[in-house]
Amino acid sequence: MRRSRGLSAALALSLAGVGTGLGLVLTPEASAVTPPVAFTADELPTWQPNGVVFAMEQANGTVFAGGTFSAVRPPDAAGGAEQEAVNFVALDAATGNPTSCKLAFTVGDGSATVRALAVSKDKKTLYAGGYFGAVNGTPVSSLAAIDIETCTPKAGFHPGVPATVRALDVSDDTLYVAGDFGTVEGQTRERFAAVDAASGALKPWTANADEPGRAVKVSNDGRNVLLGGDFFAVNGTNTHALAVVDATTGAVAKTYSTIPSNSVVKHISADATGYYTANEGSGGGVFDGRIGLNTDFGEKWRDRCLGATQYVLPYGGVLYSSSHAHDCSSELEFPDGKRNYFLAQPTDHTGTAPAPVDGFVRGPRKLGWHPTANDGVGEGIGPRVMSVAEKDGVNYLWAGGEFTLINGRPQQGLTRFADTGDVGAPTAPVASAAGVKPGEVQVRWRTSYDQDDSRLTYRIYRNGSATPIATVTADSLEFERPQASWNDTTVKAGQSYTYRVTATDAAGNTSALSANAYVTVPASVQAYPDRVRADGANLYWRYDDTVSPYVADSSDGGNTGGIQVGAPALRQSPGAVTGTSTAMGFNGTSQQVYSDHRQSVGASFTVETWFKTNTTRGGKLIGFGNNTVNSSSTFDKQLYMTNTGRLAFGVYNGTARTITTGLLDTYNDNKWHHVVGTQGPGGMTLYVDGQNKGTNSAANSTPYAGFWHVGGDSLTSWPNRPTSNFFAGQIDETAVYPTALTQAQVKAHFDLAKAPADTVTKVTPSEDTYVNQGAPGTAYGTSSSLAVRGTSAYETYLRFTLPAAPAGQVLKAASLQFKTSTQTGAGTADTVSVVPVTGTWSGATTFNTKPALGTAPLGSIAGVPDGSAVQNVELDTAAVSAVLGSSYGLGMTSTGTDPLWIWSSESTAADGAPQLVLTFGQK
């Protein structure tokens, strides 16, 4: 929609696991961007006007720009003096600098402007249209021809056009003109006309329209001309905004009636496969997007994004467009919100086109190309025109318009992008890791954003290694960044691991490493999350995240992460599930979490969550809606609380169908409660704390694509609507399933949440030191490093004050965790053993006074790689269990000659102190 100035992406996973038996498949790295996109999103230095660019053309490595301005100046970063440029400038396509061609378009009365440019087939003549009376002093009447080689107006070409010219296109011998005029050369030619391309003489071609003409395009075979504009009739025949006429006579060949009356065609372009229109509207129910036409002028698709499309440019199978698109909900893409000024999409659907919706086939899905701009000056439209120019083997996409910013940096009216030299790296992934059973860790991350690459390569690094343990490729767009994940099945129960992830684009630009994601592998299965995953959840938010704004999806292979809005409170404890999870806190006024990509929900589904609150204002716990940050206009499949603490589960299938707990069944008692809503062929059911609280026969809901919301979204007009749309309280363990869970499954979830869970205790040394055979009298008790070697010997000693096992629990796993230091060669190729210390020692112990050691190792590690990283040694559980509740000494020894250097408890390095990791649980 025109306005004045005033977010399931498919994942392609190629996995490489150490010891997993999976082969390593790496995505080839290209030299530029991900095809079929041909241009980077990195803007190049370009001279800029002090006004608006309305028209653009190119020839022989020179770009011509026309509009309403009086001067051009260097790029902001370059500095330098401006040059006079009266409504026109010619620029070198490769440098962005003005050429020696200077043309001034002026008028004696009013303000001159250049609104249209076209170049002859032989690249020798530039045609200009707009509102002007002279070019470099040569009299003309809003239409001129310029000799490109000499940069001089052709004095003999001066057809009289008494009003603004808005569009031009040229065939071999004819120049077609569109605009506001009613006559040309004193003869009736309403809004469209044709003149001889050489002499300017008016031709008999007649295509009279009742409202302004804004676009004109000669068909590929030269037999017809496509007309666009505001009109409702051409030559007396009803056709709105778009028509096809005979190229010789102007007789109407095809009419159109499907463009809304409050919408117009601003531009028409063509490639070998068809024609494309840019459309703009004003008011409700407008058509603001793009239409693709076949070569027979029949519609092949319609992209109904809102946002005043100004220009369409097909190039290399991609349709680039300039607009300020702010709502592509109808295309199942981004909802109403931020403006997107440049879009790219294939010119045709790949494979089978989607089924028509409301009689129209949706446009091809957007590609990963997202330079940013702003509304700018003038009408606040943003970019208006585009052109591709080639010079010295490089292709440049130029854009002009009203913008004053490109990619967040000052740049007015003109910018350009190249088909090489991609320098923008993807954003850093936001990673987390979790395990719910021994032998497996799920590493997951929100996919990154790259301005000109939609498919990125992710590398996962474990424990600080410089070599990735796995490689994954995944797709993402600026508005759709689903979670990606990889399962590490080489981990050991009870041990702790760290993971970091990078993203690399097709040109090899690599993001920063993600922050470390930490995880301790459970020594036994965590019953509640394991059951949720086994029951088929395809969204599972546990709210154990340590940073904003990403919420990880813990479902088995799921890709539906969440985005926090308003900074909900993280890691609220205790959570709903005993011992294994934290909760998220919501303020009841503005905070929520929504899912990170648009999706559809089938006829059968289940929504499940835990909550705790004492609110008397109600609010939404979980629901489905068609928007993200902004309130949804379509919303259902929701669980919400009334002001009195009753719970409601509702869907919409032409009317709101709800089940509500009884008058006495209220749940705002500040205790954890479990609520589940299901719908399937048998109807709807609401469960609370494992009990059936009501059913109905509604077996379907309105299908639409949208986003899951937790903690808030619209509840307008729903039964027993609470005071607040937003929930005040804590929420935990939210899950969505593509099936209707049975009562037995729901009851099992409720019971498992209250079962005792494993607990993990980490103990740091109360004292540590090492001894050195090469300095037998030296004590190292205050050193920040510890060392292990066989010859000449280093031995490390660590003392831990071990806790007793919690009541009713036993030790299920134990491991020693340490971190190699940053010095060169800190790792070792030798096996390091952990043994009991049987003799006495202290921080003052030297090699001469070293203690006796046990001979039976508690555990060992066969080599430690170089590079500062956390390592784990699994220990004999029975041996450690026998000394719980006491002070216990551990020694680290080796028989080889390659030393291991690790941080001591005196070190200030992050995660540097050694730790004994103890996992306790039920017998």
Side-chain angles (χ1 to χ4, degrees):
M1 184 182 300
R2 179 175 174 175
R3 293 182 179 175
S4 298
R5 176 170 53 99
L7 347 280
S8 157
L11 297 181
L13 304 182
S14 52
L15 307 181
V18 176
T20 64
L22 295 173
L24 177 63
V25 181
L26 288 176
T27 301
E29 293 184 355
S31 59
V33 296
T34 302
V37 171
F39 302 96
T40 79
D42 304 314
E43 82 283 3
L44 297 173
T46 308
W47 278 60
Q48 52 194 316
N50 60 357
V52 177
V53 172
F54 290 105
M56 186 176 286
E57 257 296 353
Q58 64 83 30
N60 311 317
T62 298
V63 173
F64 307 105
T68 306
F69 48 87
S70 61
V72 292
R73 64 186 186 276
D76 278 32
E82 69 177 22
Q83 297 179 10
E84 183 180 60
V86 183
N87 302 313
F88 175 89
V89 64
L91 303 111
D92 185 284
T95 66
N97 299 333
T99 70
S100 59
C101 178
K102 311 293 182 184
L103 296 172
F105 288 77
T106 57
V107 69
D109 183 23
S111 298
T113 184
V114 175
R115 294 297 178 118
L117 294 170
V119 171
S120 62
K121 302 295 185 183
D122 61 9
K123 303 295 184 183
K124 293 182 178 181
T125 303
L126 172 68
Y127 298 96
Y131 181 72
F132 46 83
V135 181
N136 283 2
T138 298
V140 292
S141 182
S142 295
L143 186 60
I146 313 298
D147 181 80
I148 292 176
E149 183 177 4
T150 62
C151 188
T152 57
K154 296 183 176 181
F157 186 98
H158 49 75
V161 184
T164 302
V165 171
R166 298 188 179 275
L168 299 170
D169 198 26
V170 61
S171 66
D172 292 333
D173 59 0
T174 303
L175 177 67
Y176 295 92
V177 187
D180 300 348
F181 49 85
T183 64
V184 175
E185 288 290 287
Q187 298 187 44
T188 300
R189 293 291 189 274
E190 295 177 341
R191 284 83 187 194
F192 295 97
V195 301
D196 186 273
S199 66
L202 182 65
K203 290 197 168 189
W205 183 86
T206 301
N208 290 331
D210 57 343
E211 294 290 345
R214 298 180 181 272
V216 59
K217 184 65 182 177
V218 179
S219 66
N220 293 334
D221 61 9
R223 296 178 180 179
N224 294 283
V225 179
L226 292 87
L227 311 179
D230 302 22
F231 51 81
F232 292 87
V234 174
N235 288 341
T237 300
N238 291 335
T239 182
H240 175 52
L242 183 64
V244 181
V245 300
D246 185 271
T248 302
T249 66
V252 175
K254 184 172 179 61
T255 62
Y256 296 85
S257 61
T258 59
I259 296 175
S261 60
N262 56 356
S263 302
V264 303
V265 170
K266 296 295 293 289
H267 182 246
I268 303 172
S269 63
D271 67 5
T273 66
Y275 306 92
Y276 309 91
T277 72
N279 304 271
E280 175 187 272
S282 181
V286 301
F287 174 52
D288 254 0
R290 292 153 293 284
I291 294 174
L293 302 174
N294 291 308
T295 53
D296 64 359
F297 312 116
E299 184 169 320
K300 57 183 176 179
W301 54 257
R302 179 175 295 208
D303 186 313
R304 292 182 287 177
C305 292
L306 296 175
T309 306
Q310 302 297 304
Y311 204 91
V312 282
L313 175 63
Y315 180 84
V318 173
L319 186 68
Y320 300 89
S321 57
S322 58
S323 68
H324 51 244
H326 57 87
D327 185 354
C328 283
S329 300
S330 62
E331 300 301 296
L332 306 185
E333 295 172 332
F334 54 85
D336 196 10
K338 71 178 287 290
R339 293 188 169 195
N340 296 268
Y341 295 92
F342 296 99
L343 297 177
Q345 61 196 127
T347 52
D348 291 287
H349 287 285
T350 55
T352 303
V357 177
D358 298 329
F360 301 107
V361 175
R362 287 197 305 270
R365 185 167 173 77
K366 305 301 183 297
L367 299 169
W369 185 71
H370 298 284
T372 66
N374 66 342
D375 289 352
V377 297
E379 296 179 61
I381 293 292
R384 284 183 172 272
V385 291
M386 295 186 290
S387 183
V388 174
E390 185 273 336
K391 189 169 185 182
D392 300 330
V394 177
N395 294 294
Y396 299 91
L397 175 60
W398 281 71
E402 298 179 346
F403 51 83
T404 58
L405 294 173
I406 292 293
N407 291 332
R409 289 176 282 274
Q411 179 68 26
Q412 181 171 349
L414 284 169
T415 192
R416 62 199 177 98
F417 311 94
D419 64 359
T420 188
D422 180 16
V423 297
T427 60
V430 180
S432 63
V436 301
K437 57 187 177 182
E440 182 176 293
V441 164
Q442 183 190 53
V443 184
R444 59 276 174 105
W445 59 95
R446 188 185 187 200
T447 49
S448 299
Y449 164 53
D450 189 276
Q451 280 191 294
D452 40 34
D453 289 276
S454 56
R455 174 157 295 185
L456 301 174
T457 298
Y458 298 89
R459 292 179 173 85
I460 302 105
Y461 299 86
R462 188 173 76 178
N463 290 347
S465 172
T467 302
I469 191 173
T471 298
V472 174
T473 59
D475 291 343
S476 58
L477 297 167
E478 189 269 347
F479 56 86
E480 188 167 275
R481 295 168 58 189
Q483 175 178 295
S485 63
W486 172 76
N487 288 339
D488 187 352
T489 57
T490 66
V491 295
K492 295 182 179 180
Q495 295 195 14
S496 297
Y497 297 86
T498 62
Y499 298 89
R500 304 184 81 177
V501 183
T502 63
T504 303
D505 67 15
N509 300 305
T510 299
S511 74
L513 282 160
S514 70
N516 270 314
Y518 301 87
V519 63
T520 298
V521 184
S524 59
V525 173
Q526 295 180 356
Y528 182 89
D530 188 61
R531 178 64 63 87
V532 170
R533 288 159 58 95
D535 283 343
N538 56 9
L539 178 157
Y540 185 20
W541 295 345
R542 306 205 67 200
Y543 307 110
D544 296 333
D545 310 280
T546 59
V547 296
S548 296
Y550 173 64
V551 175
D553 177 10
S554 295
S555 66
D556 188 7
N559 68 343
T560 306
I563 306 300
Q564 302 166 29
V565 177
L570 304 182
R571 299 189 64 79
Q572 302 291 287
S573 186
V577 177
T578 304
T580 65
S581 180
T582 58
M584 183 171 283
F586 297 83
N587 62 10
T589 59
S590 60
Q591 295 172 339
Q592 62 159 309
V593 177
Y594 66 85
S595 56
D596 56 14
H597 65 283
R598 187 185 293 273
Q599 57 195 279
S600 297
V601 180
S604 296
F605 70 93
T606 297
V607 287
E608 172 183 43
T609 198
W610 289 78
F611 69 91
K612 182 171 71 171
T613 186
N614 60 2
T615 185
T616 57
R617 290 167 47 82
K620 181 173 291 191
L621 292 165
I622 180 174
F624 194 69
N626 66 342
N627 213 316
T628 52
V629 177
N630 299 326
S631 292
S632 296
S633 58
T634 301
F635 44 92
D636 75 331
K637 303 172 184 66
Q638 57 194 359
L639 296 166
Y640 61 96
M641 177 174 279
T642 71
N643 288 346
T644 60
R646 299 167 69 192
L647 294 173
F649 169 49
V651 303
Y652 186 84
N653 58 7
T655 186
R657 300 294 302 274
T658 59
I659 304 169
T660 306
T661 58
L663 292 174
L664 300 180
D665 288 333
T666 58
Y667 301 94
N668 54 349
D669 56 4
N670 222 24
K671 297 179 181 178
W672 280 111
H673 294 285
H674 180 231
V675 57
V676 178
T678 71
Q679 184 177 42
M684 297 169 57
T685 306
L686 172 63
Y687 302 93
V688 182
D689 293 339
Q691 302 298 312
N692 185 328
K693 292 296 181 179
T695 63
N696 68 27
S697 61
N700 59 77
S701 59
T702 301
Y704 62 97
F707 306 84
W708 288 106
H709 293 255
V710 167
D713 195 17
S714 182
L715 286 165
T716 300
S717 301
W718 277 73
N720 299 307
R721 181 191 179 189
T723 300
S724 176
N725 290 334
F726 292 88
F727 178 77
Q730 294 181 344
I731 296 178
D732 199 7
E733 303 293 325
T734 300
V736 177
Y737 305 78
T739 59
L741 295 185
T742 66
Q743 183 163 4
Q745 288 175 308
V746 172
K747 183 63 164 57
H749 290 196
F750 176 71
D751 291 341
L752 286 172
K754 300 307 176 184
D758 291 353
T759 59
V760 176
T761 300
K762 295 184 177 182
V763 185
T764 56
S766 57
E767 192 169 22
D768 55 22
T769 190
Y770 78 99
V771 296
N772 178 3
Q773 187 177 20
T778 302
Y780 297 93
T782 59
S783 172
S784 63
S785 297
L786 303 169
V788 182
R789 183 172 62 194
T791 306
S792 61
Y794 298 141
E795 290 181 358
T796 280
Y797 314 123
L798 309 111
R799 181 175 288 114
F800 297 93
T801 301
L802 301 183
Q809 294 188 340
V810 298
L811 183 69
K812 302 179 78 171
S815 64
L816 177 64
Q817 176 179 293
F818 59 85
K819 186 176 186 180
T820 46
S821 72
T822 55
Q823 75 180 64
T824 302
T828 179
D830 299 327
T831 295
V832 174
S833 298
V834 179
V835 297
V837 179
T838 58
T840 59
W841 61 277
S842 70
T845 293
T846 68
F847 188 85
N848 289 334
T849 60
K850 69 185 183 74
L853 303 177
T855 57
L858 300 173
S860 62
I861 183 170
V864 176
D866 287 341
S868 184
V870 175
Q871 306 291 335
N872 291 273
V873 181
E874 189 173 359
L875 303 181
D876 185 310
T877 304
V880 177
S881 182
V883 294
L884 291 175
S886 69
S887 179
Y888 189 57
L890 293 176
M892 298 177 68
T893 66
S894 174
T895 58
T897 59
D898 188 10
L900 169 70
W901 289 93
I902 66 175
W903 295 120
S904 74
S905 58
E906 282 79 16
S907 169
T908 59
D911 314 310
Q915 296 184 96
L916 200 58
V917 182
L918 308 174
T919 301
F920 297 99
Q922 296 297 300
K923 297 179 181 179

